[in-house]
Amino acid sequence: MPVEGATANGPLLAVSNLTKLFGSFAACNEINLQIDQGEIHALLGENGAGKSTLVKMLFGVLAPTGGEIVWQGRSVRIASPAAARKLGIGMVFQHFSLFEALTVAENIALSMDGNISLAKVAEEASRLSHAYGLPLDPKAHVADLSVGERQRIEIVRALLQNPRLIILDEPTSVLTPQEADRLFETLNKLKAEGRSVLYISHRLEEVQRICDRATVLRHGKVTGACDPKVETPASLARMMVGSDVAAVTAEGTSTKGDVQLEARHLSVSARTPFAVSLKNICLKVRAGEVLAIAGVAGNGQGELFDALSGEYPVADDAAVQIRQKPVGNRNINARRLMGAGFVPEERHGHAAVSAMPLSDNLVLARSRSDAKAFLGGCFLNIIRRDAVTTATKRISEAMDVRKSGEDPPAGSLSGGNLQKFIVGRELDRQPAVLIVNQPTWGVDAGAASRIRQALVDLAKAGSAVLVISQDLDEIFEVATEIAVISEGRLSDPYPARELSREKIGLLMGGMYGKTEGTGAVHAH
Amino acid sequence: MRIELEKRAKISALFSILSPFIAFLLTIIFGGIMFALLGKNPVTALYSFFVEPLSEVWSLHELAIKAAPLILIAVGLSVCFRSNNWNIGAEGQFIMGAIAGSTLPVVFYEWQSPLVLPLMMLMGMLGGALFAAIPAFLKAHMNTNEILTSLMLVYVAQLFLDWLVRGPWRNPGGMNFPETRTFAPDAILPELIASGRTHWGFAFAIIAAILVWFMMRYTLKGFEISVLGQSERAGRFAGFSSRRMIWFSMLLSGALAGLAGISEVSGAIQQLRPVISPGYGFTAIIVAFLGRLNPLGIIAAGLVLALTYLGGEAAQLSLGVSDKVTRVFQGLLLFFVLSCDTLIHYRIRLVWYRFTASDLDRSR
């Protein structure tokens, strides 16, 4: 389905000196960007570089403070997403806006401007989805669909408007490698029709693979425009980060000690209708070892963390063992007292209270495990501010936490710096067992490499480390053993050196453990 | 055009402190306008409302008597509100505390001992706590909304008191008035200082405020309260139980409201009547917020709100306006406190569409 009315020459979209100020902070500072007809254009940058702000201005969600947007040679002001859609700009957000209880067709109909019958929407959606290799059943309920399928709904929703430009925000962050391959085919099809794609990512490998040109942002400014195919990952990374990123070395983590953390046939039923139940999970982490659990988001990672940390203790006491003692019934502080440390996925409102200063957030995780150091006054449990402040300073220095002021609120730190503090708060205790869920989710490359190195070093020093992560690059950097979680089931562990990305992809799709060969890859 | 509230990047420390004072000033200005509309001279009206009650020793004592229950209740409520438990039923807990504590001087009036008074106070606290235990249980184990249950239980308490004083507890020698017998001297809370009626209830309030302030400021318990109030999930990560916090905060605020109730009855009224509170339990909510949920701030706020009660009475006498003026001032004050706090955290922005989707159509 080629695009009608394509103008012959000139860029499709030209942005000049586009600026967005939040107060005095420039999220986007005089951005220049050109997207031609029929190209896949990458927008590269770390978290907080201004990528999202830029595309929100292009899609009419935010109003620019200054600068100009030229669409097909005409200066435009995009006041709302509806206006953007009318111009021919479609967008697929990183976080989907779908109603789980409704069907695919109903969700699509909700986003359409004007009155169109549901049957017609279903028919059109089904036709488009097959034409672009994104099979979808319009009558399926969203709650029953995988994340990859949900993303297809969003893409089809954008395609129904017959857009000239489609903006995709970090589309592969929720996909298995196989699902990502399929998405890339679709993007190439769109390109062949003369449509343009603005592809936002921080994954260099896929940008090099599918994009024709790239614009790199850092701190709200354009720091480079290039052809990604002639660059190296290292040169792209340098444009993104501004300096070379230290490589993580996992050498010397091969010595294995006793089993420090173990799950024995751990099964947990789902707490809420949309949670995942854990099914018969067995894992062992020895001292000196990093076991990484890969998997697509929403396959039971959070639930596994809750059960292992003791935030939600389980009925079977023997199902979770820390240092070879059953702790399934014990709460999180009892497990901490046995030498375990925990880093949950969500920083704000779970690992830290945003409005509280760092020192309070230190007490949050260690009030019981370090009661001797941090509490006084006998039964009154008076918090010893001097000891807490000293420890906060020590952790901030050890992890190079950059902050404004001595003891600022956790919410004022950047994601990377707060995460360094949260990880450092556990490392400071030298835990025998450390369980980390998504250690570098939404963290800049510099902080991520520092955190990963710290996890590897902890294992080297003789602790057992369990890392739950969606980021395969991260997993290969830190892991000695890798297992994959899918729909609440955990695969057998494999030594990291023996496992290929393709194999992980198959396991992510639901082919776990020894059932290999009998079950097909989950029919997506 | 539409109006948006936009979160401020920085919260002004100066205005956070000034906010209650600005709110009080605005209350006075709008109160003055109200008096003017009623045909009274706003200056003299405001004078007799806010200043006259402070000019004599006896009225200062009245101020302390009225402030005592407000402060006691509000201090308990501040713990509730900080931990995100919305106990709106302090009025009921106040009444039940008064009833429980009055059992001794009303039913066992013949027993006279120095132990009577301390026992009454303990029973008052117990009564208030047990009555608060009902919404606590319903929230902790049935996931019920405590705002509704605690509020509705107020009416249960009020009607129960009404029934008691008209029925089983009515004073046999009281000419059929709906009152209990007056308390024996052993059961009456003594005066604090010789110059007037201020009783020990005021001392209880100040002590409770200081103890709770210490707890919130320095101890792990206070830390637990604020963590659970801001994020239940972070509290769980810290190993704090939000269910136990429901019990703790509700029982504590219930006990303090109950203590306020029995102190008021034993110190000021000295018998039970159908109505023993001019809405202390509800006014204490304003006190708690005007004091910024800080027990020391609550002492000051309690005195201010007590003044509105006295001012209402004074205005009724000297200006001939209804004592409902008190309620108007309390309402104005709460409104301005909350709106000042909102404007400290947010700014108002008027959004004008200069260019809309339909404009775009026309330009095509």
Side-chain angles (χ1 to χ4, degrees):
Chain A
M1 193 174 72
V3 193
E4 323 89 50
T7 44
N9 296 317
L12 177 68
L13 175 81
V15 163
S16 56
N17 296 327
L18 202 62
T19 299
K20 176 71 191 179
L21 298 174
F22 293 107
S24 61
F25 171 72
C28 282
N29 195 352
E30 310 212 326
I31 303 269
N32 292 302
L33 172 75
Q34 271 196 16
I35 300 173
D36 291 334
Q37 306 273 4
E39 76 163 344
I40 303 183
H41 193 112
L43 190 59
L44 271 169
E46 294 193 277
N47 288 287
K51 292 172 297 183
S52 295
T53 309
L54 174 59
V55 295
K56 278 182 184 161
M57 288 192 282
L58 296 182
F59 196 57
V61 179
L62 289 174
T65 317
E68 194 183 24
I69 300 173
V70 178
W71 175 257
Q72 294 179 322
R74 200 158 52 91
S75 174
V76 290
R77 195 180 283 275
I78 304 167
S80 68
R85 279 198 289 267
K86 284 225 169 73
L87 285 174
I89 301 175
M91 170 128 192
V92 177
F93 286 96
Q94 190 178 1
H95 302 286
F96 309 146
S97 43
L98 297 170
F99 292 94
E100 300 215 332
L102 300 183
T103 65
V104 171
E106 286 165 339
N107 265 292
I108 293 175
L110 274 175
S111 71
M112 308 282 286
D113 305 321
N115 261 334
I116 304 160
S117 82
L118 201 59
K120 210 171 158 211
V121 168
E123 186 196 326
E124 185 73 352
S126 166
R127 191 183 63 72
L128 268 178
S129 68
H130 284 100
Y132 288 100
L134 303 163
L136 266 182
D137 173 10
K139 291 193 199 70
H141 282 94
V142 171
D144 301 331
L145 300 183
S146 73
V147 186
E149 287 169 312
R150 292 179 195 204
Q151 187 180 56
R152 282 181 207 162
I153 304 176
E154 294 272 0
I155 295 175
V156 168
R157 196 141 94 165
L159 286 176
L160 272 173
Q161 314 275 351
N162 191 24
R164 309 289 310 276
L165 171 68
I166 299 175
I167 305 171
L168 293 154
D169 192 358
E170 304 266 359
T172 55
S173 63
V174 291
L175 301 182
T176 65
Q178 282 82 358
E179 285 176 320
D181 285 345
R182 209 174 250 236
L183 172 70
F184 297 155
E185 280 169 30
T186 305
L187 296 185
N188 280 322
K189 225 173 248 179
L190 292 172
K191 177 183 159 184
E193 288 174 0
R195 297 179 206 274
S196 308
V197 175
L198 181 60
Y199 188 88
I200 302 166
S201 185
H202 63 260
R203 295 189 175 180
L204 306 174
E205 183 255 347
E206 57 186 44
V207 166
Q208 287 192 300
R209 200 168 129 200
I210 62 162
C211 296
D212 305 305
R213 283 200 300 158
T215 299
V216 187
L217 294 187
R218 184 169 80 239
H219 300 321
K221 283 188 176 150
V222 174
T223 54
C226 59
D227 176 354
K229 289 187 172 112
V230 301
E231 299 286 332
T232 63
S235 67
L236 285 173
R238 209 173 302 127
M239 277 188 253
M240 269 169 66
V241 183
S243 63
D244 291 309
V245 176
V248 177
T249 51
E251 296 306 310
T253 49
S254 53
T255 48
K256 284 188 184 172
D258 296 335
V259 175
Q260 298 285 64
L261 172 70
E262 190 176 356
R264 291 184 185 170
H265 307 289
L266 171 66
S267 295
V268 180
S269 50
R271 276 198 311 279
T272 67
F274 297 119
V276 177
S277 61
L278 299 178
K279 298 162 195 92
N280 198 24
I281 285 187
C282 296
L283 62 84
K284 276 182 188 171
V285 193
R286 293 168 195 280
E289 186 178 72
V290 180
L291 172 66
I293 295 182
V296 175
N299 272 286
Q301 287 96 330
E303 290 81 358
L304 179 62
F305 180 86
D306 289 347
L308 292 178
S309 70
E311 285 188 69
Y312 289 90
V314 294
D316 178 7
D317 199 33
V320 181
Q321 312 237 345
I322 288 176
R323 303 176 91 177
Q324 301 173 356
K325 292 204 177 62
V327 295
N329 302 156
R330 306 284 206 89
N331 67 21
I332 187 166
N333 277 330
R335 296 184 197 194
R336 283 188 177 118
L337 284 169
M338 296 176 72
F342 308 98
V343 178
E345 174 180 4
E346 181 59 49
R347 283 186 282 280
H348 296 287
H350 190 174
V353 181
S354 313
M356 286 188 163
L358 286 184
S359 58
D360 279 358
N361 277 298
L362 174 62
V363 178
L364 186 78
R366 291 173 51 179
S367 66
R368 294 290 171 206
S369 57
D370 294 63
K372 273 200 194 107
F374 291 161
L375 300 178
C378 298
F379 68 96
L380 285 179
N381 280 337
I382 293 169
I383 297 171
R384 290 180 49 193
R385 284 286 152 198
D386 50 339
V388 175
T389 311
T390 315
T392 306
K393 203 179 260 174
R394 185 173 68 226
I395 291 164
S396 303
E397 274 165 20
M399 290 301 285
D400 186 27
V401 178
R402 296 187 200 160
K403 51 191 165 65
S404 57
E406 191 70 2
D407 194 12
S412 73
L413 268 66
S414 73
N417 280 309
L418 181 56
Q419 187 71 5
K420 282 194 278 187
F421 182 80
I422 290 167
V423 173
R425 160 177 95 177
E426 305 300 331
L427 296 177
D428 185 56
R429 287 176 55 210
Q430 284 291 322
V433 175
L434 183 66
I435 300 173
V436 192
N437 191 6
Q438 316 299 350
T440 60
W441 181 246
V443 162
D444 62 273
S449 107
R450 172 133 206 152
I451 289 168
R452 289 171 193 167
Q453 187 65 55
L455 296 177
V456 169
D457 291 345
L458 182 71
K460 272 188 210 168
S463 302
V465 180
L466 178 73
V467 174
I468 304 172
S469 177
Q470 282 160 245
D471 186 338
L472 287 183
D473 296 333
E474 170 169 271
I475 283 180
F476 279 109
E477 271 180 31
V478 302
T480 50
E481 303 266 314
I482 298 174
V484 178
I485 192 166
S486 168
E487 295 179 353
R489 291 189 181 86
L490 192 69
S491 76
D492 292 338
Y494 299 88
R497 282 155 213 245
E498 293 171 18
L499 209 56
S500 65
R501 279 172 191 261
E502 286 64 40
K503 169 84 178 173
I504 291 187
L506 290 176
L507 292 169
M508 280 179 176
M511 249 171 75
Y512 35 85
K514 296 179 181 79
T515 55
E516 204 171 318
T518 56
V521 178
H522 210 70
H524 286 164
Chain B
M1 190 201 79
R2 65 175 192 267
I3 300 170
E4 274 185 358
L5 282 182
E6 193 180 72
K7 204 158 177 102
R8 286 179 198 268
K10 235 187 218 142
I11 293 156
S12 158
L14 177 68
F15 276 93
S16 295
I17 297 166
L18 284 182
S19 155
F21 299 97
I22 297 172
F24 189 64
L25 193 72
L26 286 168
T27 306
I28 288 182
I29 292 171
F30 279 83
I33 294 173
M34 178 187 70
F35 281 129
L37 290 175
L38 286 171
K40 312 282 172 194
N41 181 342
V43 177
T44 52
L46 285 171
Y47 181 83
S48 62
F49 197 94
F50 284 110
V51 184
E52 245 172 30
L54 299 174
S55 57
E56 287 184 62
V57 175
W58 69 265
S59 57
L60 286 175
H61 279 282
E62 290 304 310
L63 190 72
I65 289 173
K66 295 224 159 24
L70 290 175
I71 295 169
L72 257 181
I73 300 169
V75 163
L77 290 183
S78 74
V79 172
C80 270
F81 296 165
R82 280 209 181 259
S83 66
N84 211 9
N85 290 302
W86 300 93
N87 179 6
I88 307 297
E91 181 81 2
Q93 294 139 26
F94 176 94
I95 292 169
M96 287 314 236
I99 292 173
S102 302
T103 319
L104 284 183
V106 174
V107 181
F108 304 98
Y109 56 92
E110 283 166 327
W111 182 49
Q112 305 208 343
S113 146
L115 281 179
V116 168
L117 206 51
L119 270 179
M120 280 168 65
M121 297 299 134
L122 280 179
M123 287 167 69
M125 292 171 78
L126 200 65
L130 283 178
F131 203 57
I134 300 171
F137 172 81
L138 291 173
K139 180 175 184 187
H141 297 277
M142 312 275 178
N143 211 10
T144 318
N145 184 326
E146 76 280 16
I147 298 178
L148 297 176
T149 51
S150 63
L151 178 63
M152 290 191 293
L153 283 168
V154 170
Y155 307 108
V156 175
Q158 284 173 341
L159 293 171
F160 181 60
L161 172 66
D162 196 80
W163 173 74
L164 275 181
V165 296
R166 290 176 201 277
W169 282 14
R170 191 175 50 192
N171 185 1
M175 328 278 284
N176 257 340
F177 277 109
E179 295 168 350
T180 63
R181 59 178 79 240
T182 47
F183 292 1
D186 270 359
I188 288 173
L189 213 50
E191 281 148 12
L192 199 55
I193 30 179
S195 62
R197 284 194 341 122
T198 308
H199 55 78
W200 272 85
F202 192 69
F204 294 158
I206 302 297
I207 293 167
I210 291 171
L211 288 180
V212 170
W213 171 78
F214 183 86
M215 174 181 80
M216 295 301 296
R217 182 104 169 72
Y218 293 107
T219 71
L220 187 65
K221 193 75 196 170
F223 180 70
E224 183 182 339
I225 290 165
S226 12
V227 168
L228 283 170
Q230 291 179 55
S231 167
E232 192 190 327
R233 196 65 222 254
R236 185 179 280 277
F237 177 68
F240 302 147
S241 156
S242 56
R243 188 176 282 186
R244 282 196 355 230
M245 184 49 67
I246 296 172
W247 281 105
F248 175 82
S249 63
M250 294 294 278
L251 292 186
L252 177 72
S253 65
L256 289 178
L259 179 63
I262 187 60
S263 303
E264 174 76 6
V265 169
S266 160
I269 310 176
Q270 301 169 3
Q271 64 178 176
L272 282 180
R273 294 177 191 155
V275 174
I276 55 172
S277 156
Y280 287 137
F282 294 117
T283 308
I285 298 170
I286 308 177
V287 172
F289 279 105
L290 186 64
R292 314 194 72 76
L293 300 183
N294 175 332
L296 300 186
I298 283 170
I299 295 179
L303 290 167
V304 170
L305 266 296
L307 185 58
T308 63
Y309 279 119
L310 290 190
E313 286 169 16
Q316 194 175 18
L317 288 175
S318 59
L319 302 171
V321 295
S322 158
D323 69 349
K324 292 278 185 288
V325 179
T326 305
R327 292 289 181 83
V328 174
F329 271 98
Q330 291 180 352
L332 281 174
L333 198 50
L334 181 65
F335 174 80
F336 284 121
V337 168
L338 295 181
S339 38
C340 282
D341 281 359
T342 305
L343 290 180
I344 286 173
H345 290 279
Y346 298 88
R347 79 171 103 239
I348 292 180
R349 215 164 54 114
L350 300 180
V351 182
W352 303 85
Y353 276 129
R354 270 176 297 185
F355 200 84
T356 61
S358 52
D359 294 337
L360 191 76
D361 278 350
R362 259 176 261 137
S363 72
R364 275 200 167 169

